[in-house]
Amino acid sequence: MMKVAIMIPTYNESESIKNILEQIDAISLPDIEIRVLVIDDNSPDKTAQLVESLHYKNVDILKRPNKDGLGNAYKAGIKYLLQDKTFTHLVSMDADGSHRVVDLIEMLKIANENPGSGLILGSRWIQGGKVINWPFHRKLLSKGGTRYAGWALKIGIKDITGGFRIYPRKTLEDLDLKQITSNGYCYQIEMAFAINHLNRKVIEVPITFVEREHGKSKMSQRIVLEAMLQVTRWGLVMRIDPAADKLHYVK
């Protein structure tokens, strides 16, 4: 029996969150219990209040005082959820509709069939994966960033920056999560880097990523640049002293 908590960070996502919660609520999978944790950073558009007004029994809200970055939102959600010993898996999922519930269902099935895996990752850049409504330069930036990060960190994951993930509880418990210091775009890379230290199987599942229809993307050139500089630093450290961070993330 899997008991899954889906973490959905929000900041001004009132136009999208209702549809996502409706679709998740309609999921019916034998042997898989699903709850949702909306992690709201005090959205001015009252996303949290909208979620409360929907009165879903399987949806909880973690209210944070201010906008503090994607990585910090996920870290707060993981800390909160791991206190409940009954959860077997935690899911990270965007609030803007770019991560489809139909793909989530397939990922959950695969997680259920592979209890010893270290990570289930929804991948845009493997066979069967695709991106809808992105301009060419955005695809080029994402593919290029992913390939560079994979090369620099010596990780074979095809979509290392992808945020649609299922983390088995054991993976999170075996990591020293206090060592994850990145925020924003780089958080996803550092989490994959940390999991790579556990030497567990990462399963990439093809997904269709759909560019948001509502709201404004939180991505910026500054966030991307910070991520690439951090990846470069990690890569240099690995090459100068391969043993320096070998067990940095592992308890």
Side-chain angles (χ1 to χ4, degrees), residues 153-177:
L153 303 179
K154 300 181 180 180
I155 299 175
I157 297 173
K158 302 298 184 184
D159 196 354
I160 196 172
T161 62
F164 199 4
R165 304 179 174 192
I166 300 178
Y167 298 103
R169 183 186 191 94
K170 183 168 176 53
T171 292
L172 297 172
E173 290 182 334
D174 287 348
L175 293 175
D176 185 355
L177 294 173

Side-chain angles (χ1 to χ4, degrees), residues 211-248:
E211 175 66 346
R212 66 163 64 234
E213 294 183 4
H214 306 288
K216 184 179 179 181
S217 173
K218 314 302 189 295
M219 187 63 65
S220 70
Q221 290 182 347
R222 179 183 63 81
I223 291 173
V224 174
L225 179 61
E226 285 177 350
M228 291 301 100
L229 288 174
Q230 181 68 289
V231 166
T232 300
R233 185 181 71 82
W234 288 330
L236 287 173
V237 169
M238 287 176 62
R239 283 159 175 79
I240 294 169
D241 184 0
D245 273 342
K246 189 172 183 181
L247 298 177
H248 179 65

Side-chain angles (χ1 to χ4, degrees), residues 19 121 188 212:
N19 183 48
L121 173 62
Q188 310 292 10
R212 66 163 64 234

Side-chain angles (χ1 to χ4, degrees), residues 59-158:
V59 177
D60 300 311
I61 306 174
L62 179 59
K63 296 180 181 178
R64 291 168 17 100
N66 49 56
K67 186 180 180 182
D68 191 30
L70 179 68
N72 286 332
Y74 274 131
K75 283 182 270 190
I78 290 169
K79 182 178 179 180
Y80 176 84
L81 290 166
L82 287 182
Q83 296 177 81
D84 185 336
K85 301 298 183 183
T86 65
F87 285 119
T88 62
H89 297 75
L90 305 190
V91 177
S92 63
M93 185 175 184
D94 286 353
D96 59 13
S98 57
H99 295 155
R100 304 188 308 163
V101 172
V102 65
D103 291 326
L104 171 64
I105 292 171
E106 183 61 25
M107 290 167 65
L108 289 170
K109 290 177 180 177
I110 291 172
N112 197 29
E113 294 165 359
N114 295 272
S117 61
L119 176 68
I120 308 296
L121 173 62
S123 182
R124 299 161 290 183
W125 309 126
I126 62 172
Q127 186 174 359
K130 59 183 177 180
V131 174
I132 294 177
N133 296 332
W134 264 13
F136 176 75
H137 77 273
R138 184 81 182 272
K139 291 181 181 179
L140 187 64
L141 178 64
S142 181
K143 279 187 176 181
T146 292
R147 289 177 181 175
Y148 175 71
W151 171 81
L153 303 179
K154 300 181 180 180
I155 299 175
I157 297 173
K158 302 298 184 184

